[in-house]
Amino acid sequence: MPNANPRQVAFSILKEIDRHDTYTDVALNRGLNGAQLAMVDRGLVTELVYGVVRRKRSLDALIGQFARKPIEQQPADLRLIFYLGLYQLRYLNQIPAPAVVHTTVELAKNNGLRGLSGVVNGVLRQYTRLPGDPLKLPDPVAQRLAILHSYPDWIVEKWLTQLGETETEQLCEWFNHPPHLDLRVNIHKTSVEAVEKAFQDSDIPVERLPYSPQGLRLLKKVGAVQQLPGFEQGWWSIQDGSAQLVGYLLDPQPGEVAIDGCAAPGGKTTHLAELMGDRGTIWGCDRQGSRLKKVNQNAQRLDLHSIKTRVGDLREIEDFSQKGDRVLVDVPCSGLGTLHRHADARWRQSPESIEQLSMLQQELLTKAASWVKPGGLLVYSTCTLDPQENEQVISLFLDQNPQWKISPVRSPEPLAHLSTPEGWIKIWPHRHQMDGFFMVRLQLT
């Protein structure tokens, strides 16, 4: 698609997502790879696609206000065109309103909707003419926040229970911003100071992460990460600051046997090897061999030789019984702590899927616990904020396994100031400026 129109590319990507339930990042990468676009236009396509998927509920509410027919009675392509136009008017201040209206009307004409182009024009012009914020909101707090910030009611209700109204709104807003790009410096090969200088010398500003001794955050957008200083040399990995904390909590020591029960793509596995000085044995397990290839590739780039991989469902692996000094089980979860990274995750999960995940997590935790040597340590972690997947899983496990107890984080350990009175760590993005995470360290007595 040479000299492609970025709005047409965005429309085609959204159409694939809508028709085939394709994951947003997969459809976006496919669409960008098939289009010849300038860098600024690639950025616009990315903003439009991720933005429309994130803000779908707010946009639906606007369409419901201004269009004559209910959303469910409108042609699917017309709805997508409404999304693109209204998203630009509401969330992209740098594009003049007349330009948005004109390009959106043309998009309708060029995609078989010439007869409805007047409807598109009318809806968008109605939006621009109203004073203040045209979006009408209901009175109940959960519904108001869910429509304003575009979430399902049930997610907002859960956050309200835990945080109250003010912090829930802060969290809603935080998840609608593009994610940061954090790096974890490979201390096995270099130092934080050396990587920091390499980026500064390339005019890429970075800052230290306050909670991770190995962490750096990039302060501006960059192109392909493979072109950044030190990538080929294995000086760093991409890993959010909160995910880096998991390795520090497990605190593996040189010469020990560490097991990562859900290892792919290997971010935490390689971190364990770095913390152990690449001395000892780290087993990375995953039920898909294709995903373990990524673990091996990352280990090779980082020049780590202590990592071994094992294909298999954690629940069915028997030969690790009581073999691990330190065991990590970073379980599959709803991902509700990383909604800024996965635009469609808020629409893919449900209370029913949370229930199913919590049962799986209980099974995985119970099995992983059987791998720990007497006196050894186990860390359970998720990238979700849902108590049903976090606190409730741990509480049930401890009730059923009295030989286990929480190993609290105490000073001078670096994570002590993040620990709760219960002994676990819960990272709230709007408070800590990192992905949402839960982690707890358990000890076999």
Side-chain angles (χ1 to χ4, degrees):
M1 197 184 297
N3 303 316
N5 179 331
R7 291 169 179 81
Q8 180 64 50
V9 174
F11 173 75
S12 299
I13 294 169
L14 290 168
K15 191 171 179 178
E16 180 184 347
I17 295 169
D18 188 54
R19 299 294 187 278
H20 305 293
D21 197 29
T22 308
Y23 282 96
T24 303
D25 56 345
V26 173
L28 177 63
N29 288 335
R30 187 180 297 154
L32 289 175
N33 289 337
Q36 184 176 326
L37 291 166
M39 187 60 67
V40 65
D41 287 337
R42 289 174 67 89
L44 177 59
V45 171
T46 301
E47 172 69 32
L48 291 175
V49 171
Y50 278 136
V52 164
V53 173
R54 282 195 190 104
R55 300 284 190 171
K56 184 168 61 174
R57 186 170 185 192
S58 305
L59 298 173
D60 276 338
L62 287 170
I63 296 169
Q65 287 177 215
F66 296 128
R68 293 181 180 178
K69 288 186 178 181
I71 293 171
E72 58 273 11
Q73 294 181 17
Q74 296 170 3
D77 286 359
L78 177 63
R79 187 172 67 249
L80 295 179
I81 287 171
F82 278 146
Y83 284 165
L84 285 165
L86 288 168
Y87 181 80
Q88 292 174 82
L89 289 175
R90 185 170 180 83
Y91 300 108
L92 298 186
N93 297 329
Q94 70 270 30
I95 303 176
V100 171
V101 175
H102 173 72
T103 55
T104 308
V105 169
E106 291 301 304
L107 190 64
K109 292 178 180 178
N110 294 332
N111 287 276
L113 296 171
R114 179 172 293 273
L116 293 172
S117 61
V119 176
V120 174
N121 183 69
V123 166
L124 298 187
R125 289 190 180 278
Q126 280 188 74
Y127 181 89
T128 62
R129 289 171 183 153
L130 290 177
D133 185 353
L135 180 60
K136 297 178 181 177
L137 298 170
D139 291 330
V141 174
Q143 292 179 30
R144 177 175 62 81
L145 293 178
I147 292 173
L148 177 61
H149 299 291
S150 192
Y151 295 88
D153 287 354
W154 67 271
I155 291 180
V156 174
E157 288 166 357
K158 281 177 174 282
W159 292 342
L160 284 168
T161 299
Q162 298 177 79
L163 295 170
E165 182 178 348
T166 299
E167 283 200 83
T168 294
E169 183 151 27
Q170 293 171 357
L171 184 59
C172 287
E173 292 172 346
W174 200 92
F175 278 139
N176 281 332
H177 291 295
H180 300 291
L181 184 63
D182 293 346
L183 308 181
R184 187 194 75 232
V185 174
N186 179 6
I187 53 175
H188 176 60
K189 295 202 70 173
T190 185
S191 67
V192 174
E193 291 78 11
V195 175
E196 190 175 40
K197 184 177 186 305
F199 275 86
Q200 291 170 347
D201 289 345
S202 298
D203 294 322
I204 302 173
V206 296
E207 67 179 8
R208 303 278 182 102
L209 293 181
Y211 302 107
S212 171
Q214 294 170 248
L216 291 173
R217 173 164 292 170
L218 274 62
L219 298 179
K220 74 175 186 179
K221 292 183 179 180
V222 294
V225 295
Q226 294 84 354
Q227 304 301 318
L228 294 177
F231 176 84
E232 291 186 0
Q233 296 90 336
W235 290 356
W236 47 264
S237 301
I238 295 175
Q239 188 178 42
D240 188 78
S242 56
Q244 295 180 34
L245 304 183
V246 176
Y248 299 120
L249 184 61
L250 189 61
D251 192 26
Q253 301 300 306
E256 291 185 332
V257 174
I259 308 173
D260 186 350
C262 304
K268 298 178 183 67
T269 311
T270 53
H271 193 196
L272 299 183
E274 292 167 11
L275 292 173
M276 293 168 66
D278 204 27
R279 301 193 302 275
T281 302
I282 300 97
W283 284 98
C285 308
D286 200 274
R287 62 192 185 96
Q288 294 183 9
S290 58
R291 301 189 73 223
L292 280 176
K293 290 181 180 178
K294 189 67 174 176
V295 178
N296 291 321
Q297 290 169 358
N298 283 329
Q300 183 177 6
R301 184 178 66 84
L302 298 170
D303 194 27
L304 299 169
H305 305 283
S306 55
I307 294 172
K308 300 180 180 181
T309 54
R310 170 67 186 274
V311 179
D313 188 318
L314 186 159
R315 295 168 293 181
E316 299 172 359
I317 298 176
E318 301 297 338
D319 49 337
F320 285 152
S321 179
Q322 295 191 347
K323 295 291 178 61
D325 296 290
R326 317 263 171 158
V327 174
L328 169 62
V329 57
D330 183 56
V331 295
C333 69
S334 61
L336 297 184
T338 59
L339 294 180
H340 55 319
R341 298 189 185 279
H342 305 103
D344 47 12
R346 66 189 73 186
W347 313 121
R348 290 185 177 275
Q349 298 297 343
S350 67
E352 292 73 26
S353 69
I354 300 292
E355 177 66 30
Q356 293 171 356
L357 282 167
S358 67
M359 292 188 288
L360 170 63
Q361 291 153 356
Q362 192 70 46
E363 292 178 25
L364 295 173
L365 174 58
T366 300
K367 182 63 178 184
S370 72
W371 295 353
V372 182
K373 293 178 181 178
L377 295 172
L378 167 68
V379 165
Y380 173 90
S381 65
T382 74
C383 59
T384 184
L385 302 169
D386 196 293
Q388 197 170 350
E389 302 177 76
N390 295 331
E391 294 92 334
Q392 292 178 27
V393 169
I394 296 303
S395 296
L396 180 59
F397 174 79
L398 293 176
D399 287 343
Q400 296 177 346
N401 298 275
Q403 72 275 27
W404 284 90
K405 66 178 181 180
I406 291 177
S407 174
V409 186
R410 295 191 174 95
S411 184
E413 290 185 78
L415 305 186
H417 57 296
L418 293 172
S419 183
T420 65
E422 296 85 357
W424 44 62
I425 292 172
K426 194 163 189 175
I427 302 299
W428 288 100
H430 64 293
R431 296 176 184 171
H432 302 107
Q433 303 305 305
M434 298 185 286
D435 289 0
F437 245 82
F438 176 89
M439 59 197 80
V440 61
R441 186 172 62 194
L442 305 172
Q443 185 165 22
L444 180 59
T445 58

